[in-house]
Amino acid sequence: MSSQKVAIVTGAARGIGAGVAKRLAADGLAVAVLDLDADACAATVSAITEAGGKAIAVGADVSNEESVNAAVATIVEKLGPPTVVVNNAGIIRDNMLFKMTVDDWDAVMAVHLRGAFNVTKAAQKHMVDAGWGRIVNLSSTSALGNRGQANYSAAKAGMQGFTKTLAIELGKFGVTANAIAPGFIETEMTAATAERVGVPFEDFKKAAASQIPVNRTGVPEDIAHTASFFISEGAGFVSGQVVYVAGGPKD
C-alpha cells in the first residue's frame, strides 16, 4: 500500500461534499467518495480521476453502524487505512416547531450526529494506529439558531460539541478535529430551500448576498479551501476550532 493519505468524505455525491472531495484529491489524497447511493458518486469520482486523482465511490447509510463499518472495511481494502474524515453528510427536514414531526427530528439527528459518530468511530482506530489524523465536521451558521430549523440547528450545534470533545480525546494520538460552519453556499440544498419558500434561486441568492459583508454568496470551493487547510500538515496545532465560512463575522 502506498504512503498516500486516504480521506473519507461523506455526502460527497454533490454540493459541498463533492467540492471537498475534489479539493482533497487535488491536494494529493486518495478519496473515498461516500454517499447513500454509490452510483450517485460517479460524477464526483469521474471529475477526480479525469484530473489525475485517485477516488472510489462508496455507498453507505451513515446513520447505520453496520453499513458504515462495512464501508470503512471496503475503503481499507481498496485504498488503505483512512486517516482523514470529513463528516459532511446531511439532510434538512425544515418546519416550524409546532409542525415538526418526531420523524423530521429523528431523521436529521440520525444523519448529522449519529452519522458523524459512526464514521468517526470506525475511522479513528486507523488514525490512532498511524499516529496522525484529521477530522473535519460540517456545522452551519444555523447552529446559532435559524427559524424553521429546530432540528437542523440543534444537530449543527451538536456537531460543534462533538468536534471539541474529539479534539480533547484524540489529540494525544496526533489527531486534530475541527469544524467548518458554512453560511449561505450555493448548492442543491439551498436551491431546494428557495423552491420551498417560492422564490427563484437567483433572487434568493441576491437577497442573501445583500446581507453578507463580502456581498456574495458562497460556493462549495470556499468550504473546500478551509477543509484543505485543516487537513494540511501545517494545521497540526489547530484543533477543537469552529470556523464560520460565511462572508462575515458570526459568533
Side-chain angles (χ1 to χ4, degrees):
M1 212 52 89
S2 76
S3 60
Q4 186 177 30
K5 289 189 170 75
V6 175
I8 302 173
V9 183
T10 71
R14 59 188 67 78
I16 289 171
V20 171
K22 290 173 197 170
R23 175 59 186 264
L24 297 190
D27 288 346
L29 285 80
V31 182
V33 177
L34 190 148
D35 216 296
L36 195 54
D37 175 13
D39 292 342
C41 300
T44 305
V45 171
S46 293
I48 289 169
T49 53
E50 283 165 20
K54 187 172 184 182
I56 60 167
V58 182
D61 173 0
V62 293
S63 71
N64 181 286
E65 187 179 24
E66 287 85 16
S67 179
V68 167
N69 289 344
V72 172
T74 298
I75 292 161
V76 171
E77 182 191 331
K78 292 189 175 175
L79 292 179
T83 54
V84 173
V85 166
V86 179
N87 287 305
N88 166 74
I91 59 169
I92 49 173
R93 296 287 185 271
D94 294 353
N95 229 325
M96 297 298 285
L97 181 66
F98 75 99
K99 288 197 279 195
M100 188 175 287
T101 66
V102 169
D103 285 348
D104 288 339
W105 177 272
D106 287 348
V108 169
M109 293 298 156
V111 176
H112 291 271
L113 286 176
R114 195 192 313 150
F117 166 75
N118 284 337
V119 176
T120 306
K121 188 179 177 191
Q124 60 86 29
K125 57 180 166 286
H126 300 294
M127 301 181 190
V128 171
D129 287 348
W132 189 94
R134 298 285 189 265
I135 299 160
V136 177
N137 295 322
L138 269 291
S139 180
S140 168
T141 53
S142 293
L144 304 170
N146 197 28
R147 184 180 177 85
Q149 290 195 317
N151 49 5
Y152 188 78
S153 295
K156 290 308 197 183
M159 291 291 265
Q160 298 188 15
F162 180 58
T163 300
K164 289 170 186 290
T165 299
L166 294 175
I168 293 165
E169 290 188 9
L170 298 174
K172 65 182 177 184
F173 302 108
V175 179
T176 67
N178 292 286
I180 301 172
F184 190 108
I185 307 295
E186 297 170 21
T187 64
E188 287 178 27
M189 195 181 271
T190 46
T193 302
E195 192 174 346
R196 183 173 61 80
V197 297
V199 177
F201 193 36
E202 285 306 312
D203 294 347
F204 196 63
K205 286 193 290 186
K206 275 184 192 143
S210 72
Q211 303 297 312
I212 298 169
V214 298
N215 202 34
R216 71 169 174 92
T217 49
V219 290
E221 290 75 17
D222 291 313
I223 307 305
H225 193 73
T226 306
S228 174
F229 163 71
F230 279 142
I231 289 160
S232 68
E233 285 294 335
F237 203 54
V238 180
S239 196
Q241 302 306 302
V242 180
V243 171
Y244 284 85
V245 182
K250 299 284 177 182
D251 50 25

